Amino acid sequence: QMAYDSEHLRVDCVQWIGAFPSDAIRYELPNRCLLPLTNEADKQRANGLLNRCYIQREVPQWRSEIQFLLETGTKFEIEALSACSLTFLSERYLPSNIQR
């Protein structure tokens, strides 16, 4: 947040750890695995992230993922990906994300 004050407060790169909101569609999660984004604090957090300078300039994919979250009004926990199969996370999801 304060990277504009000093280059020494800034990291060289950041990585998204965890599931992307669009993974719900990519992996065809059943609706029962989706949670409504009804908490105002969640919405404020997402909008706050959209306003951060590094989100706007350096990681446009994150911006589109956060916008997708707000547009769909749903979220999910990474454990929901196990709905595909018990070994889905370890055998398919994580390896494909590491390669990507």
Side-chain angles (χ1 to χ4, degrees), residues 12-73:
D12 291 338
C13 68
V14 291
Q15 292 185 348
W16 186 299
I17 298 175
F20 284 108
S22 63
D23 286 345
I25 291 177
R26 181 178 296 116
Y27 297 107
E28 300 174 355
L29 285 182
N31 284 338
R32 63 179 160 68
C33 294
L34 302 178
L35 304 169
L37 190 66
T38 55
N39 185 335
E40 277 306 311
D42 285 345
K43 292 176 186 176
Q44 287 176 351
R45 237 178 258 119
N47 282 312
L49 282 171
L50 288 175
N51 292 325
R52 294 201 177 183
C53 60
Y54 63 89
I55 294 287
Q56 294 178 16
R57 286 191 315 252
E58 299 172 29
V59 281
Q61 180 191 4
W62 292 11
R63 182 172 184 71
S64 63
E65 290 289 341
I66 295 166
Q67 287 173 324
F68 177 82
L69 180 83
L70 290 168
E71 288 167 9
T72 60

